[in-house]
Amino acid sequence: MERPFTAAEQVRHTLAKPNCSAARLMRLAPARRGEPGYHPEHDRDGDGWACEPTPRRRG
């Protein structure tokens, strides 16, 4: 069972909701499912990690 967020975590989690830039600004990205900063709309591939860094392409 996941623990509830503290009041401070809840505020940061809410401020991270708009996009991954906001989540990074709150120092909550990348985030796993169930952690503060995880929002399903930020989990592009559905693997349980939100705002993952994009791998650099070798060229």
Side-chain angles (χ1 to χ4, degrees), residues 2 4 10-12 17 24-26 30 32-35 37 42-43 52 56:
E2 296 175 12
Q10 184 62 47
V11 169
R12 291 174 65 217
K17 182 145 175 81
R24 287 185 185 95
L25 185 64
M26 294 292 101
R32 294 185 94 166
R33 189 177 289 123
E35 293 180 345
H42 300 165
D43 185 359
E52 297 173 81
R56 289 187 175 168

Side-chain angles (χ1 to χ4, degrees), residues 6-50:
T6 65
E9 288 172 333
Q10 184 62 47
V11 169
R12 291 174 65 217
H13 177 74
T14 301
L15 292 172
K17 182 145 175 81
N19 54 46
C20 288
S21 293
R24 287 185 185 95
L25 185 64
M26 294 292 101
R27 297 184 182 259
L28 293 176
R32 294 185 94 166
R33 189 177 289 123
E35 293 180 345
Y38 179 87
H39 295 279
E41 59 272 20
H42 300 165
D43 185 359
R44 283 187 261 161
D45 56 6
D47 66 352
W49 281 96

